[in-house]
């Protein structure tokens, strides 16, 4: 997840991409590639966490998930988040040993 402005964030991935220079034709540059943009920050956080869990290291699965999110309306995204569960609103009781 990466913030794009005051109200929105993008969900995507960081990877090294070719960035040849005169001195180094094999140079690489770390870049962020957005897959879903213009999401409210809270939605982007939840989708980023969900994508990471669901993709299980498979880029094809990540592409599938982003196509689904990109193709639905704002209202549908809200309903999906409600169905997924709001991570920060879950009642989790920590197991603390003193």
């Amino acid at each position: 997840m990466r913030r794009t402005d005051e109200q929105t964030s993008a969900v995507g991935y960081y990877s090294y991409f070719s960035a040849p220079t005169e001195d180094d034709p094999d140079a690489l540059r770390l870049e962020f590639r957005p897959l879903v943009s213009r999401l409210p920050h809270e939605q982007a956080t939840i989708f980023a966490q969900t994508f990471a869990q669901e993709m299980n290291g498979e880029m094809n699965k990540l592409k599938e998930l982003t196509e689904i999110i990109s193709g639905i309306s704002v209202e549908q995204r809200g309903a999906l988040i409600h169905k997924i569960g709001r991570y920060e609103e879950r009642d989790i009781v920590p197991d603390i040993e003193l």
Side-chain angles (χ1 to χ4, degrees), residues 17-42:
F17 295 93
S18 179
T21 64
E22 284 185 23
D23 298 329
D24 185 359
D26 298 322
L28 299 174
R29 179 175 51 219
L30 182 64
E31 295 180 10
F32 177 78
R33 295 288 168 99
L35 296 169
V36 182
S37 300
R38 299 186 329 203
L39 294 170
H41 303 307
E42 182 180 277

Side-chain angles (χ1 to χ4, degrees), residues 14-77:
Y14 283 92
S15 189
Y16 286 95
F17 295 93
S18 179
T21 64
E22 284 185 23
D23 298 329
D24 185 359
D26 298 322
L28 299 174
R29 179 175 51 219
L30 182 64
E31 295 180 10
F32 177 78
R33 295 288 168 99
L35 296 169
V36 182
S37 300
R38 299 186 329 203
L39 294 170
H41 303 307
E42 182 180 277
Q43 283 188 7
T45 299
I46 292 168
F47 284 130
Q49 291 170 347
T50 302
F51 285 2
Q53 290 172 349
E54 294 296 320
M55 72 179 274
N56 200 26
E58 297 177 37
M59 283 302 284
N60 287 337
K61 184 70 172 175
L62 179 61
K63 289 177 184 177
E64 272 180 45
L65 293 167
T66 56
E67 286 174 8
I68 292 167
I69 299 306
S70 296
I72 63 176
S73 70
V74 173
E75 293 81 17
Q76 290 170 320
R77 284 197 307 251

